[in-house]
């Protein structure tokens, strides 16, 4: 395949604006023959046709100009790569299409289009896959009703096929759409648009609706692009309910052989996009395709017109000869005169001047009626219709059937006073099927499932009468059979009554052997060997079947099971083995039901023997079983307890009477084989003691004890402190969760007085005399488990009044000596503040914590040697405020 790219002179025409009123266009080609300079190339004339709406009223947007040249782009058909860069296509001629209005058009919307054709000749390689020619522009009219026109643009294109598509395709010329009068469509009015084309090669033409195409390139530039869009081209988006194959709605279609678009116009005025393909066929093969696109305006119009239905018919079941007529034209508001001729040839009085007359015909028959309407503009419009008068046609049918197992027979019983029924159509009411139909007067149909069906009959007479009727029929299921049992036993010397119920009509039991009256629902049977009796129930030829198996035994046995041991107070379900159908157990006092095959026994004695009598009709057998009871083992553990971490406790098990026992878990146990082992757990643990018998009652007995571990704790008696003699000092024992702890305070040595108001308080008050220089107190905190914690506090007793001392100098050199300056309270209960200032009165440090002081830094920066000012205030144990102010020296 040749891939030579031929450059054609590129001309650029700047277009400053392109308004939104281009209303359509197309591109087609004409084959001119082979190149005279290179016979491997082909010559084509490319024609671009553009339409512009010039009758835009009330628009602030300027009307688009069709003056000047336009650009087309040519792409390869095999890979969609640009074959030629932009080709300028020059204007050939332009003209105006003006609407010629009929006098029957009362309201005349303005309709005018400017049409311009542009063409150029191109020389291209004879490519196997042909070429694409395209032209893109911006923009479409805003708010087109059936497509999303905003930011949509337009691309007109055509493909010149290559030899791969058809051997005749490259040597072909496009079909050309005919350009006739302008298009005026009135909303809700019948339309007849001519999209026909002619073909110079004599090819067969076929028409269909096509997609409109957008332009990505033109929208992105908002201009006429130098290079048009490349294939594959982008289609516009249609707005529901419209689609490209129904551009004006479901009622508008295109004739595939004539290209005429017909139907009723939409009921909304506005602009609609419509595009049409014309396909060319030669010798039965499609060789080319060409598209025309047009934006059609639907307007509000007023017409004067006569419009009748093709045929009117009355088949009134009441035998009436009356018929009412009206002009079928949708908006008949302009007509001033009506003349009706109802078509009775022998009468001159069969006329009316009313808009909607009612006429009674003198006899039955077929008549040609005519309507003529006039308006004051000189418009005369006529239409004719056939009127058929054949009253007395009533559709009806009868059905015979019962259930879904057999066909229903449907018979047409339609009444026709005149003529006869010449065709019928049945719909048998299967909503999920389309095959449940027939055209036979007498039809048969078999339903697949039961249920209600609505059956429809559509009847047509040779006089043209049509009537329909519907009847609801019930399709029944086959007869139901209810059997209380389907498998049973009898003794060979017994008689058994079989039982059944059904909505059927007739019954038949088979085989007719060892049975009394096999045609009743509940016969008696006395088989001598096992027999299956089959029941057949019939209702209107609908049949159901079911069966009962009667097993016959010459004798029966019963085994009550082996003797068993259970725990006293427990229950036991009997393990009976027998084919009997009835049972009687004794004694019944400790049984839940003495007539069951497997009763539950709850004996209260050491040994109880139960007797059973089993019956199958007249066949009988007996047996017995003894149930022994044993008491449960006993065991008791000491109650739950708590110990301190590290302590040892003994577990006590008592009342033990089992054969074996076991502890769980065995962790921390001193001896798991002892009933009373010592334990020293590190975490809280629940221990389980299990006792069991080796015989008799085998259910183990369990008891539990939980050992809770009290974790270690600490008590804090406070920092060593000082007090002035005779002033009270409140001590405190700080401990976590003090609610479960008790306290004891003692003085060391203990032989001296303790001077405390309450030695068992968590917060006692000490009042020390002048003769005491210092004192040590020991506080003991303990739990109810006697878990203990201790702490001490030393108290210095000053022989001076309450005071706050502040040193006169300190040396913050981090040698561990005199590195901070802090107040030394004597007889002070708490500190309100201790403030440090520089000589300019700037606050450098503050605290209200006793024992805390200043380290000589401000914001982490060491201060130079200097004098500083302090103020300090505290409250003594009598509530008196102590204030002091002074200076100290920082020495480096």
């Amino acid at each position: 395949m040749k891939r030579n790219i031929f450059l054609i002179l590129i001309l650029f025409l700047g277009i400053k604006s392109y308004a939104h009123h281009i209303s359509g266009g197309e591109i087609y080609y004409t084959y001119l023959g082979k190149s005279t300079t290179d016979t491997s190339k082909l010559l084509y004339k490319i024609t671009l046709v553009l339409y512009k709406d010039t009758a835009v009223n009330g628009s602030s947007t300027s009307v688009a100009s069709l003056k000047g040249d336009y650009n087309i782009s040519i792409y390869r058909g095999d890979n969609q790569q640009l074959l030629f860069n932009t080709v300028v296509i020059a204007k050939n001629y332009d003209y105006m299409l003006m609407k010629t209005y009929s006098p029957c058009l009362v309201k005349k919307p303005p309709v005018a289009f400017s049409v311009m054709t542009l063409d150029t000749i191109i020389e291209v390689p004879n490519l196997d896959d042909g070429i694409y020619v395209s032209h893109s522009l911006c923009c479409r009219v805003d708010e087109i009703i059936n497509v999303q026109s905003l930011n949509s643009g337009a691309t007109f294109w055509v493909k010149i096929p290559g030899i791969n598509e058809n051997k005749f395709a490259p040597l072909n010329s496009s079909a050309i759409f005919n350009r006739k009068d302008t298009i005026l469509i009135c909303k809700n009015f019948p339309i007849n648009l001519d999209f026909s084309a002619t073909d110079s090669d004599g090819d067969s033409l076929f028409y269909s609706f096509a997609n409109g195409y957008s332009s990505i390139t033109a929208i992105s530039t908002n201009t006429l692009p130098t290079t048009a869009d490349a294939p594959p081209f982008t289609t516009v988006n249609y707005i529901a309910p419209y689609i490209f194959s129904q551009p004006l709605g479901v009622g508008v279609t295109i004739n595939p052989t004539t290209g005429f678009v017909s139907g009723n116009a939409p009921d909304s005025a506005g602009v609609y996009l419509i595009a049409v393909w014309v396909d060319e066929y030669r010798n039965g093969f499609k060789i080319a395709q060409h598209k025309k696109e047009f934006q059609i305006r639907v307007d509000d119009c007023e017409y004067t017109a006569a419009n009748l239905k093709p045929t009117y018919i009355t088949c009134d079941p009441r035998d009436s000869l009356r018929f009412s007529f009206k002009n079928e034209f949708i908006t008949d508001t302009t007509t001033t005169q009506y003349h009706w001729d109802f078509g009775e040839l022998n009468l001159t009085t069969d006329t009316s001047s009313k808009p909607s007359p009612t006429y009674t015909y003198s006899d039955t028959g077929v008549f040609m009626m005519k309507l003529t309407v006039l308006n004051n503009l000189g418009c005369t419009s006529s239409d004719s219709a056939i009127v058929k008068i054949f009253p007395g046609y009533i559709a009806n049918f009868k059905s015979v059937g019962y259930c879904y197992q057999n066909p229903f027979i449907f018979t047409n019983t339609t009444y026709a006073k005149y003529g006869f029924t010449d065709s019928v159509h049945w719909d048998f009411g299967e909503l999920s099927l389309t095959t449940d139909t027939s055209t036979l007067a007498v039809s048969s149909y078999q339903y697949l499932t039961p249920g209600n069906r609505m059956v429809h009959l559509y009847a047509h007479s040779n006089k043209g009468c049509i009537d329909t009727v519907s009847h609801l029929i019930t399709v029944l299921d086959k007869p139901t059979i209810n059997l209380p049992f389907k498998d049973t036993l009898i003794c060979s010397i017994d008689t058994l009554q079989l039982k059944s119920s059904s909505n059927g009509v007739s019954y038949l039991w088979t085989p007719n052997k060892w049975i009394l009256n096999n045609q009743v629902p509940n016969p008696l049977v006395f088989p001598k060997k096992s027999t299956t009796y089959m029941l057949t129930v019939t209702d209107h030829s609908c049949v159901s079947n079911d069966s009962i198996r009667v097993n016959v035994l010459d004798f029966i046995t019963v085994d009550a099971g082996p003797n068993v041991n259970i725990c006293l107070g427990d229950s036991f379900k009997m393990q009976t083995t027998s084919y009997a159908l009835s049972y009687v157990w004794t004694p019944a006092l400790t049984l839940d039901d003495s007539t069951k095959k497997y009763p539950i026994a709850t004996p209260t004695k050491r040994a109880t023997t139960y007797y059973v009598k089993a019956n199958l009709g007249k066949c009988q057998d007996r047996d017995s079983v003894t149930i022994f009871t044993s008491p449960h083992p006993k065991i008791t553990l000491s109650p739950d307890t708590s110990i301190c971490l590290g302590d040892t406790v003994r577990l006590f098990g008592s009342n033990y009477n089992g054969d074996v026992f076991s502890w769980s878990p065995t962790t921390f146990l001193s001896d798991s084989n002892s009933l009373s082992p010592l334990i020293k757990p590190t975490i809280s643990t629940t221990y389980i003691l299990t006792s069991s018998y080796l015989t008799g009652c085998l259910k183990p007995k369990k008891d539990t004890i939980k050992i809770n571990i009290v974790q270690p704790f600490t008590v804090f008696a406070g920092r060593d402190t000082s007090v002035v003699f005779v002033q009270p000092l409140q001590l405190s024992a700080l401990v976590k969760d003090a609610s479960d702890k008790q306290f004891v305070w003692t003085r060391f040595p203990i032989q001296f007085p303790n001077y405390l108001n309450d030695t068992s308080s968590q917060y006692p008050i000490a009042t020390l005399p002048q003769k005491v220089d210092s004192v040590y107190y020991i506080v003991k905190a303990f739990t109810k488990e006697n878990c203990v914690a201790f702490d001490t506090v030393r108290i210095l007793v000053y022989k001076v009044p309450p005071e706050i001392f502040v040193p006169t100098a300190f040396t913050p050199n981090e040698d561990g000596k005199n590195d901070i300056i802090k107040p030394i309270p004597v007889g002070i209960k708490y500190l309100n503040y201790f403030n440090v200032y520089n000589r300019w009165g700037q606050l450098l440090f503050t605290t209200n914590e006793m024992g805390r002081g200043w380290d000589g830094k401000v914001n982490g920066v060491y201060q130079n040697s200097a004098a500083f000012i302090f103020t300090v205030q505290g409250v003594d144990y009598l509530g008196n405020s102590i204030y002091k102010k002074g200076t100290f020296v920082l020495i480096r």
Side-chain angles (χ1 to χ4, degrees), residues 646-876:
D647 286 354
T648 300
V649 68
R650 184 177 296 277
L651 303 179
F652 291 99
S654 59
N655 292 329
Y656 165 68
N657 65 349
D659 295 324
V660 293
F661 70 90
S662 62
W663 289 97
S664 175
T666 59
T667 309
F668 309 119
L669 289 178
S670 62
D671 185 358
S672 60
N673 296 317
S674 170
L675 275 177
S676 302
L678 291 173
I679 62 169
K680 189 178 181 180
T682 59
I683 58 174
S684 296
T685 306
T686 298
Y687 290 92
I688 304 171
L689 179 59
T690 302
S691 175
S692 302
Y693 284 120
L694 296 179
T695 59
C697 180
L698 300 180
K699 283 188 176 182
K701 176 67 174 181
K702 296 183 179 183
D703 199 0
T704 62
I705 179 174
K706 183 175 183 181
I707 306 300
N708 296 299
I709 301 301
V710 180
Q711 296 298 322
F713 62 92
T714 60
V715 63
F716 179 56
R719 297 176 183 274
D720 292 346
T721 187
S722 60
V723 69
V724 177
F725 72 94
V726 187
Q727 280 201 347
L729 172 64
Q730 183 172 315
L731 304 178
S732 63
L734 301 180
V735 65
K736 184 178 180 181
D737 194 10
S739 61
D740 64 344
K741 296 176 178 63
Q742 300 180 53
F743 303 91
V744 174
W745 293 83
T746 57
R747 179 184 175 186
F748 181 81
I750 61 175
Q751 64 268 28
F752 297 111
N754 57 39
Y755 304 114
L756 297 174
N757 69 328
D758 187 352
T759 59
S760 63
S761 171
Q762 185 179 359
Y763 305 103
I765 296 175
T767 305
L768 302 176
Q770 186 176 6
K771 65 181 179 179
V772 177
D773 294 326
S774 66
V775 66
Y776 281 93
Y777 285 109
I778 301 172
V779 62
K780 172 185 175 183
F782 58 95
T783 67
K784 63 182 179 179
E785 296 84 11
N786 202 28
C787 302
V788 179
F790 295 91
D791 197 18
T792 62
V793 62
R794 182 188 181 199
I795 302 171
L796 294 177
V797 180
Y798 286 89
K799 307 300 190 292
V800 296
E803 181 62 278
I804 302 174
F805 300 99
V806 178
T808 58
F810 76 117
T811 57
N813 55 8
E814 299 184 1
D815 62 355
K817 299 177 181 179
N818 201 27
D819 286 332
I820 65 171
I821 187 160
K822 62 181 179 179
I824 302 172
V826 176
I828 300 301
K829 185 176 182 180
Y830 59 85
L831 199 65
N832 287 334
Y833 58 82
F834 170 61
N835 296 333
V836 177
Y837 303 88
N838 60 18
R839 60 181 178 174
W840 295 283
Q842 181 183 5
L843 180 64
L844 304 181
F845 174 78
T846 184
T847 183
N848 62 359
E849 297 181 31
M850 289 188 182
R852 186 180 173 209
W854 183 46
D855 61 0
K857 299 177 185 177
V858 177
N859 297 326
V861 178
Y862 290 103
Q863 301 299 296
N864 295 326
S865 297
F868 296 88
I869 303 168
F870 74 85
T871 60
V872 64
Q873 185 184 53
V875 177
D876 67 14

Side-chain angles (χ1 to χ4, degrees), residues 262-278:
S262 60
N264 277 339
D267 58 3
S268 297
V271 178
Y272 294 79
L273 173 65
I274 184 171
V276 173
W277 286 117
V278 56

Side-chain angles (χ1 to χ4, degrees), residues 427-482:
D427 181 341
F428 298 118
E430 296 279 31
L431 299 180
S432 60
L433 298 177
T434 59
T435 56
D436 61 327
T437 60
S438 176
T439 57
L440 299 177
V442 179
S443 295
S444 172
Y445 187 79
Q446 184 168 353
Y447 293 94
L448 299 178
T449 58
N452 292 328
R453 305 293 196 281
M454 183 63 74
V455 179
H456 307 278
L457 170 65
Y458 305 88
H460 180 275
S461 77
N462 65 327
K463 298 298 185 181
C465 292
I466 300 174
D467 195 17
T468 180
V469 64
S470 301
H471 292 319
L472 182 68
I473 67 168
T474 299
V475 182
L476 297 178
D477 200 349
K478 61 184 178 180
T480 59
I481 298 178
N482 298 310

